[in-house]
C-alpha cells in the first residue's frame, strides 16, 4: 500500500519494550524478544527492555519512569490486554494517555478478526501519546505481536514520531 506522503528521512527512533506478565522471564518472553528483533531489523533502537507484573500501579510507575527519558520516542507494551481479571494493562495505560489513536485498536482488531475470527473482540489493544512519547499496547501472544508490529507499528512509527516531535 502506498503511503500518502513519504516519511521524513534520517529520523532516529528510540524505543522501550515492556512485557507485562506474571509468569514470563527473559528466557521465555518470546513476544518481547520478537518486538525487539523486529524493531532492530527495521533500524530502530531498543533503549530499554523490561518485564513487569500485571499490576496497574507498576504499569503506571513504569510508564512514568520511561516518560522522564527525553531520548525515548516510543514505548511498546505487550501482554495484559484481554478481559481476564489479571489483564490490567489497558486499564492502567488508557487513563494516562493524553491523546489516543483509536484507529490503532480498531484496525488491530479488524486484522486480528481476519486471522482468528470473532475472538478478536476480546483484545483491548490501544495506542496514544503520553508525555510526548508514543505508547502502544499489544496482546501478549507472538502472533498478535507480529501482526501489530508488521502491519501497524513499523509502517507508521517514523511518521508518528515526526508528528509528536512537531
Amino acid at each position: 500500500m502506498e503511503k500518502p506522503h513519504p516519511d521524513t528521512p534520517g529520523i532516529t527512533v528510540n524505543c522501550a519494550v515492556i512485557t507485562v506478565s506474571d509468569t514470563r522471564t527473559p528466557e521465555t518472553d518470546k513476544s518481547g524478544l520478537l518486538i525487539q528483533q523486529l524493531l532492530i531489523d527495521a533500524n530502530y533502537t531498543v533503549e530499554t527492555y523490561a518485564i513487569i507484573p500485571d499490576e496497574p500501579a507498576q504499569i503506571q510507575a513504569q510508564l512514568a519512569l520511561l516518560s522522564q527519558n527525553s531520548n525515548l520516542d516510543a514505548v511498546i507494551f505487550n501482554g495484559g490486554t484481554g478481559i481476564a481479571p489479571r489483564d490490567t494493562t489497558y486499564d492502567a495505560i488508557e487513563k494516562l494517555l493524553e491523546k489516543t489513536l483509536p484507529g490503532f485498536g480498531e484496525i488491530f482488531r479488524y486484522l486480528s478478526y481476519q486471522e482468528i475470527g470473532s475472538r478478536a473482540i476480546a483484545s483491548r489493544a490501544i495506542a496514544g501519546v503520553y508525555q510526548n512519547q508514543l505508547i502502544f499496547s499489544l496482546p501478549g501472544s507472538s502472533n498478535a505481536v507480529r501482526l501489530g508490529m508488521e502491519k501497524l507499528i513499523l509502517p507508521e512509527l517514523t511518521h508518528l514520531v515526526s508528528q509528536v516531535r512537531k
Side-chain angles (χ1 to χ4, degrees), residues 70-81:
S70 62
N71 291 325
L72 201 58
D73 300 297
V75 180
I76 304 171
F77 287 87
N78 75 96
T81 62

Side-chain angles (χ1 to χ4, degrees), residues 77-131:
F77 287 87
N78 75 96
T81 62
I83 59 169
R86 292 291 298 155
D87 289 334
T88 63
T89 306
Y90 172 89
D91 306 291
I93 290 174
E94 186 268 339
K95 295 173 185 173
L96 297 177
L97 294 178
E98 296 151 358
K99 292 184 180 183
T100 60
L101 297 171
F104 176 81
E106 294 163 359
I107 295 170
F108 178 82
R109 282 181 287 281
Y110 169 75
L111 294 171
S112 293
Y113 177 80
Q114 293 177 326
E115 288 190 2
I116 64 170
S118 59
R119 294 245 167 124
I121 66 170
S123 170
R124 298 188 299 158
I126 190 171
V129 177
Y130 175 71
Q131 301 290 312

Side-chain angles (χ1 to χ4, degrees), residues 1 24 30 34 49-50 52 59 64 69 73 96 136 142 156:
M1 181 175 292
R24 293 194 182 158
K30 293 178 184 172
L34 177 60
Y49 165 69
I52 61 173
I59 295 166
N69 181 346
D73 300 297
L96 297 177
F136 298 95
S142 294
E156 295 302 323

Side-chain angles (χ1 to χ4, degrees), residues 17 19 24 29-36 38 76-79 104 108 112 115 137-154:
V17 177
T19 296
R24 293 194 182 158
D29 183 19
K30 293 178 184 172
S31 294
L33 295 174
L34 177 60
I35 294 169
Q36 291 178 76
L38 290 170
I76 304 171
F77 287 87
N78 75 96
F104 176 81
F108 178 82
S112 293
E115 288 190 2
S137 180
L138 294 166
S141 85
S142 294
N143 287 341
V145 161
R146 183 174 297 282
L147 176 73
M149 291 296 295
E150 290 180 347
K151 297 289 186 177
L152 298 172
I153 296 173
L154 293 175

